[in-house]
Amino acid sequence: MRPVPRWPPLWLGARVRRALAAGASVAAATLASGWPHWRGHPAEAAVTLACCGGFAVAGGLFAAGRLGRRTGRWFVLAAAAWAVTWAAAWNTGAAPLVSVFAQSVFFLAIGVGVLSYPGGRLQGAAARLWTAAAVMIMVGGQALLCVCSRPGWNGFAGSVTWPAIHPDHEVFDCVQRAVTAAMAALAGAFVIILVARLPRTGRLDRALAVPVAAAVTIGVTGALAVQGTLLGTGLDLDDVLEVYLIQGVFATGLPLAFLATALRTRFAELTVAERMHRLLTAPVSVATVRDALRTVLRDDTLDLWMWADGGYVDMAGRSAGGDVPGRWRHEVRTSGGEPLATVDVAVALRDHEPLVEAALIAGGRALETVRLQAAAQATLERARDARERLVRVQAAERERLAADLKRSAQQRLRTLEEMLAGLAEATADAAAREQARTCRRELAEAVAELDDLARGVHPAILADSGLAPAIELVAARTGVPVRLDLPAGRFPPEIESTLYFALCEALTNAVKHARAASIGLTVRPGPAEIVAEVGDDGIGGASATPRGGLAGLTDRVRALRGQVTVTSPPGEGTTVRIVLPVP
């Protein structure tokens, strides 16, 4: 057995070593840049080296991760610029001039790094506009301050290299105040952009972004408050370097907040299995697995589709729809490479694919368990679809048969009746005339019976005028007063046919079995369902028997995925409630 090497430890991988090397390099550059000042201020040196090196290490670690790599690089650039800023401590040559512009680059790199998270690019017109304004104010404004001032007005020695093209103290004061105000407005806009992003992010990203937004707000406020102390006259180098120190300390919290966010994300990936197992309590079902994934991934809109019979189906067994903008789908396969499930989540979770993958792997055994349940549900759904199609076909066939009876058989019988009438008038034989009259009576009764048959198969008024006139006609023939509340509009043929026969059955039961003195019938259409109720003041106590009228009514409604509820307390009447989904 090969011994496990003790060095380097597992946590000290290549990425961590590179981040530490970047931090050490930046700290060394900071020490060299500010050496004249550090010799007399060791405590400030220790704080600054720790903050500057930590800034670079945090940026390096962030750059080595999967998310926000460019943001991490921007933070490393900001740390390097901060190191160069301390060149002002030499107070000679071009060092102070380089220092003031390095300070501008420091803040600009931080801002661009934050706004480019996590995709690595500036997101939206507001972020791009802010970046352009930041370059103009921080770089262009600093250049304008240099042109209209002398180095001594900025706290530096008068002998340093300085582009004092048009020094004017009054102009310098005005420009300095204008640049400070513009930076304050820029900082406010920066915070507003970050806060405006929060509602558009998912719950998971929002929980991670709040600490970053808080760190940005605190850092920006502190940096601006300290910057305001440089306004006025009588500055010296110690005042400038003290501002650099305090601003750097405030800014250090930002990459650390980002690093903490990355660590929280990684910790969530490592602990997701334990959380999934805790949430997947028996009995396991598709709904249980879906709810566990929603909790772990913090996405209440998550849908889980299982593979069944050559396609993905939802919890009800219906086929999954196509791609939807703003959504992301991630497929899970078995160890043999066969499709198992697909999760449909908010597109923001694409940036957390390892977390999604870890949650699905943790729930893999549960997904295997519920696959048979999903297949059975899909089979049941196909049976329901077939029954629904059958009801539609039956409704159309009823309407066609009723129309054929009227057009063919009834018409031919009436023609025969007219022929018999003509024969009776043409013959002189009294016995023949009497026989013809008898045949005409029989034919009239046959036509009436065919009318009743056609009405029972599919009333013509239902096909021609709709549900309301058809029910009004049935109510008028009922021997009990019926209060009607019916909509004037039309419904699909299968809906009208099912409601008509179901309501007729309910009216018949109220008159025949409940011995009602009055009946109320209402139909209320809605955007998703149609609700019909038949209530009476009869004896109550109604219940559905296997071959009774209420059982047939229920079967007819369920064929269209509807529901029937019967409320019938003894002595208090009966209410039949029918709910049909709108197709």
Side-chain angles (χ1 to χ4, degrees):
M1 183 176 180
R2 298 178 59 183
V4 178
R6 295 185 178 181
W7 186 264
L10 294 178
W11 59 268
L12 191 60
R15 295 178 178 178
V16 176
R17 292 198 298 270
R18 284 195 294 268
L20 293 175
S25 300
V26 170
T30 305
L31 181 64
S33 296
W35 179 249
H37 182 70
W38 305 139
R39 288 181 300 180
H41 302 82
E44 294 182 9
V47 172
T48 303
L49 293 180
C51 291
C52 197
F55 201 120
V57 170
L61 290 174
F62 208 62
R66 191 183 60 85
L67 283 178
R69 292 184 177 180
R70 291 190 179 180
T71 297
R73 293 167 188 164
W74 280 109
F75 286 168
V76 173
L77 174 61
W82 186 14
V84 175
T85 300
W86 287 98
W90 292 92
N91 206 15
T92 184
L97 181 62
V98 172
S99 170
V100 295
F101 282 98
Q103 184 192 30
S104 299
V105 173
F106 170 63
F107 287 114
L108 185 61
I110 291 177
V112 174
V114 172
L115 293 179
S116 60
Y117 179 80
R121 295 181 297 176
L122 295 174
Q123 304 173 21
R128 291 190 288 271
L129 182 62
W130 184 92
T131 302
V135 172
M136 292 178 59
I137 294 171
M138 293 184 180
V139 179
Q142 186 60 58
L144 187 59
L145 285 171
C146 293
V147 167
C148 65
S149 69
R150 298 189 184 279
W153 302 349
N154 294 276
F156 304 120
S159 59
V160 303
T161 302
W162 199 263
I165 298 175
H166 185 71
D168 187 310
H169 211 298
E170 185 176 349
V171 173
F172 170 70
D173 290 340
C174 293
V175 173
Q176 191 178 39
R177 289 187 175 87
V179 170
T180 302
M183 290 179 65
L186 199 65
F190 184 74
V191 174
I192 290 173
I193 292 174
L194 292 181
V195 173
R197 284 183 179 180
L198 291 179
R200 299 194 298 269
T201 60
R203 285 178 56 196
L204 183 61
D205 283 330
R206 198 175 303 134
L208 298 174
V210 168
V212 173
V216 168
T217 304
I218 295 172
V220 167
T221 304
L224 283 175
V226 175
Q227 186 70 26
T229 62
L230 296 179
L231 296 175
T233 59
L235 294 177
D236 57 21
L237 183 60
D238 287 340
D239 296 331
V240 175
L241 296 180
E242 184 179 357
V243 168
Y244 287 173
L245 172 65
I246 298 175
Q247 287 181 336
V249 171
F250 273 112
T252 304
L254 191 57
L256 294 179
F258 268 91
L259 182 58
T261 296
L263 292 176
R264 285 182 62 191
T265 303
R266 181 57 179 159
F267 181 75
E269 295 172 9
L270 295 175
T271 60
V272 68
E274 186 272 333
R275 286 183 288 156
M276 283 292 295
H277 291 157
R278 188 173 65 250
L279 292 170
L280 290 174
T281 56
V284 178
S285 64
V286 178
T288 304
V289 180
R290 182 204 62 187
D291 292 343
L293 289 171
R294 284 182 174 181
T295 301
V296 169
L297 300 178
R298 299 192 180 189
D299 183 4
D300 293 335
T301 66
L302 181 147
D303 275 329
L304 177 63
W305 298 326
M306 302 300 299
W307 182 265
D309 297 332
Y312 286 108
V313 296
D314 61 13
M315 289 177 52
R318 302 185 184 92
S319 297
D323 293 337
V324 178
R327 307 291 296 173
W328 175 58
R329 294 180 181 177
H330 186 82
E331 188 179 48
V332 187
R333 291 183 174 268
T334 64
S335 56
E338 299 176 353
L340 176 60
T342 288
V343 288
D344 179 82
V345 297
V347 72
L349 282 173
R350 184 191 291 271
D351 295 330
H352 302 276
E353 185 172 357
L355 178 62
V356 176
E357 184 71 26
L360 292 174
I361 291 174
R365 182 172 298 179
L367 290 173
E368 291 276 4
T369 301
V370 301
R371 179 165 58 173
L372 292 178
Q373 181 187 107
Q377 189 66 34
T379 302
L380 179 60
E381 181 63 21
R382 286 196 301 272
R384 288 172 177 167
D385 287 340
R387 187 168 63 174
E388 189 174 346
R389 288 193 299 270
L390 180 60
V391 170
R392 292 193 178 98
V393 171
Q394 286 178 342
E397 189 63 21
R398 281 174 173 273
E399 185 176 351
R400 184 195 64 78
L401 181 59
D404 287 347
L405 285 174
K406 281 186 171 293
R407 284 195 304 265
S408 58
Q410 288 179 333
Q411 186 62 38
R412 291 176 65 182
L413 289 175
R414 287 195 176 95
T415 301
L416 182 58
E417 183 182 3
E418 292 173 0
M419 291 174 62
L420 286 172
L423 180 62
E425 293 177 359
T427 183
D429 188 350
R433 286 198 298 272
E434 181 61 27
Q435 188 66 28
R437 283 195 293 271
T438 302
C439 290
R440 287 182 61 190
R441 285 195 299 272
E442 292 292 334
L443 283 174
E445 291 178 3
V447 170
E449 289 176 358
L450 279 177
D451 280 336
D452 292 338
L453 177 62
R455 191 178 302 111
V457 171
H458 194 89
I461 190 173
L462 180 63
D464 297 338
S465 303
L467 179 66
I471 292 297
E472 288 172 356
L473 183 60
V474 172
R477 294 174 178 173
T478 303
V480 176
V482 180
R483 301 181 304 277
L484 298 177
D485 183 4
L486 302 170
R490 297 295 302 267
F491 302 113
E494 68 275 9
I495 295 291
E496 288 188 337
S497 177
T498 299
L499 276 178
Y500 173 81
F501 288 106
L503 293 174
C504 286
E505 184 65 38
L507 287 173
T508 301
N509 285 334
V511 175
K512 184 178 179 181
H513 302 293
R515 299 195 291 274
S518 64
I519 303 172
L521 188 153
T522 62
V523 177
R524 297 186 182 90
E529 60 186 20
I530 301 168
V531 180
E533 285 189 359
V534 177
D536 63 60
D537 57 357
I539 60 176
S543 61
T545 58
R547 294 187 179 181
L550 289 178
L553 183 156
T554 301
D555 292 341
R556 187 184 295 273
V557 172
R558 284 180 178 174
L560 289 182
R561 304 176 186 272
Q563 294 180 345
V564 176
T565 304
V566 180
T567 304
S568 185
E572 299 182 15
T574 300
T575 299
V576 179
R577 190 172 189 267
I578 302 168
V579 179
L580 282 175
V582 176

